[in-house]
């Protein structure tokens, strides 16, 4: 009986530690498609300091904004511009005014052997029959692409070659699957570890498009739970380590 009593006490003791582990909450982050890969790196670095489970949902900025206004339970929104998070803040869906977490860079990406030394003029080539572009109605990188093509004076010459994807993620899929011969994507994509050795790319002059100021907000949904871990991840974005990770993926920070 004494042995049984000791076993029962030990079982209860260790059972308590099993039942009540030290865990953080779940932080749900809605991420514009251009920032998918850098967010994976940020999440990994953050998890070394914090036990919170960071879950990421990726889509175009416009579609994520629509989801948020229809009640999607996200805690943080990383947009590809400032317009969408500002709209959410003005409409009462965010707890703070948007802050710039990074400045994005547009690139022209190809898998074919074409002369990229020609710059954007290479798109006139007969070898480039299809150009993938993110839909400017929902994706800020699509807006930047159309601006660049028009300012470079080649939009009219290549507009019939353009196929639109709903986000940068779909644009990347078009190129990698061979459905497009060229794609305008984010530099953060071509610098992702899984893609860095695929194809070649050039960066159009940043004078050809408006600065891609990417904004972040903490969403109203976060107030329904403990804000500690949500704020910790949000603040990590602008920490020295966070900024270093953004820069390694081709973003600019201040």
């Amino acid at each position: 009986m004494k042995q049984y009593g000791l076993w029962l006490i030990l079982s209860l003791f260790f059972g308590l530690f099993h039942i009540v582990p030290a865990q953080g909450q779940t932080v749900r982050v809605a991420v514009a498609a251009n920032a998918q890969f850098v967010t994976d790196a940020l999440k990994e670095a953050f998890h070394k300091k914090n036990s919170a489970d960071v879950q990421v949902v990726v889509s175009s900025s416009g579609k994520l904004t629509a989801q948020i206004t229809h009640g999607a339970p996200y805690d943080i929104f990383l947009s590809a511009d400032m317009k969408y998070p500002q709209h959410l803040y003005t409409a009462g869906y965010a707890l703070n005014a948007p802050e710039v977490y990074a400045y994005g860079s547009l690139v022209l990406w190809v898998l074919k052997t074409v002369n990229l030394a020609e710059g954007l003029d290479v798109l006139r080539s007969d070898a480039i029959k299809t150009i993938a572009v993110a839909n400017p109605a929902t994706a800020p990188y699509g807006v930047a692409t159309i601006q660049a093509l028009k300012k470079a004076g080649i939009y009219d010459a290549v507009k019939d070659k353009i196929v639109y994807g709903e986000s940068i993620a779909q644009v990347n899929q078009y190129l990698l699957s061979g459905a497009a011969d060229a794609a305008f994507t984010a530099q953060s994509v071509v610098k992702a570890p899984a893609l860095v050795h695929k194809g070649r790319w050039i960066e159009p002059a940043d004078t050809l498009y408006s600065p891609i100021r990417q904004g972040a907000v903490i969403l109203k949904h976060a107030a329904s739970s403990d804000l500690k871990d949500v704020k910790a991840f949000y603040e990590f974005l602008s920490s020295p380590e966070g900024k270093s990770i953004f820069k390694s993926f081709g973003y600019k920070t201040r």
Side-chain angles (χ1 to χ4, degrees):
M1 287 295 291
K2 287 183 179 179
Q3 288 181 334
Y4 176 79
L6 179 61
W7 174 84
L8 180 61
I9 291 169
L10 289 174
S11 296
L12 288 170
F13 179 79
F14 288 110
L16 285 173
F17 280 93
H18 176 71
I19 294 169
V20 191
Q23 290 182 338
Q25 70 181 87
T26 297
V27 179
R28 295 177 177 83
V29 186
V31 178
N34 78 89
Q36 174 181 1
F37 299 109
V38 71
T39 303
D40 287 341
L42 289 162
K43 173 181 168 180
E44 183 178 347
F46 177 74
H47 198 61
K48 293 176 181 177
K49 307 170 183 291
N50 190 297
S51 61
D53 177 21
V54 178
Q55 296 181 357
V56 176
V57 176
V58 179
S59 190
S60 67
S61 297
K63 288 207 166 187
L64 289 170
T65 298
Q67 291 172 14
I68 291 163
T69 59
H70 284 86
Y74 306 141
D75 300 308
I76 296 173
F77 177 35
L78 302 186
S79 180
D81 67 357
M82 292 292 282
K83 179 184 76 172
Y84 288 115
Q86 181 61 51
H87 166 73
L88 291 172
Y89 176 63
T90 302
Y93 292 97
L95 299 181
N96 63 296
E99 299 176 315
V100 175
Y101 63 89
Y103 293 81
S105 296
L106 185 69
V107 299
L108 172 62
W109 189 22
V110 297
L111 301 184
K112 284 191 167 188
T113 303
V114 292
N115 185 12
L116 289 181
E118 296 178 17
L120 295 185
D121 277 333
V122 72
L123 298 174
R124 301 176 186 268
S125 167
D126 291 339
I128 304 293
K129 294 180 171 57
T130 311
I131 306 164
V133 175
N135 183 356
T138 57
Y141 276 76
V143 174
T145 298
I146 300 304
Q147 286 178 345
L149 291 173
K150 288 183 175 179
K151 200 160 186 181
I154 65 168
Y155 176 75
D156 288 338
V158 303
K159 64 182 180 182
D160 291 338
K161 298 182 178 184
I162 293 175
V163 293
Y164 290 105
E166 70 173 28
S167 68
I168 284 291
Q170 191 168 59
V171 164
N172 301 335
Q173 184 181 4
Y174 284 161
L175 182 77
L176 294 171
S177 68
D181 301 312
F184 281 92
T185 190
Q187 189 172 152
S188 58
V189 171
V190 297
K191 287 194 171 182
L195 298 172
V196 69
H197 298 299
K198 292 187 181 293
R200 297 173 299 128
W201 55 274
I202 56 171
E203 187 177 358
D206 57 16
T207 55
L208 292 177
Y209 58 92
S210 301
I212 304 176
R213 300 168 66 237
Q214 304 198 190
V217 287
I218 296 177
L219 297 166
K220 187 176 180 179
H221 174 267
S224 64
S225 59
D226 186 352
L227 276 170
K228 184 181 70 171
D229 290 329
V230 173
K231 287 182 175 178
F233 185 75
Y234 185 82
E235 291 168 1
F236 181 71
L237 301 176
S238 58
S239 70
E241 185 177 2
K243 287 183 177 181
S244 177
I245 292 171
F246 276 115
K247 288 177 181 177
S248 72
F249 279 79
Y251 292 96
K252 299 177 179 66
T253 63
R254 289 184 182 173

